[in-house]
Amino acid sequence: MNNPYLDINEIKEVFFKCHLKENHNFLEEDLQTLADALIMAAMPEIVRTERKACISFVRTLNTLVAEKLEEYRGPL
């Protein structure tokens, strides 16, 4: 399964950097910790994807506003 935000190496890196309780037996607390770490690692790409979608949508309504929005927000 391909993840659009993190590649397999990034997922492994997050997993190993994540400080889980016990011996990785995946208690509810461990799963929450791992999920939070993966979300935070993926967040920059999620934000970029959302910005692209937003600017594309605005561009369909008003190209001048889209250009100004892109100018104001800076390069992706």
Side-chain angles (χ1 to χ4, degrees):
M1 180 173 103
N2 287 342
N3 183 312
Y5 303 115
L6 297 173
D7 66 30
I8 191 68
N9 291 325
E10 291 169 322
I11 291 169
K12 287 178 185 178
E13 182 180 338
V14 169
F15 178 80
F16 290 121
K17 285 183 177 179
C18 194
H19 300 289
L20 302 178
K21 306 275 186 223
E22 304 296 324
N23 294 320
H24 305 284
N25 61 356
F26 297 105
L27 300 171
E28 282 184 34
E29 184 179 327
D30 292 332
L31 292 174
Q32 184 64 53
T33 299
L34 183 57
D36 290 344
L38 288 167
I39 290 167
M40 293 311 295
M43 192 59 65
E45 188 59 32
I46 292 169
V47 169
R48 269 191 292 281
T49 301
E50 184 61 27
R51 268 180 68 191
K52 284 181 188 176
C54 178
I55 290 171
S56 292
F57 174 72
V58 171
R59 187 168 278 117
T60 66
L61 302 173
N62 187 321
T63 56
L64 181 60
V65 171
E67 288 172 14
K68 291 297 180 185
L69 177 61
E70 206 166 18
E71 181 182 307
Y72 175 74
R73 297 290 292 174
L76 297 171

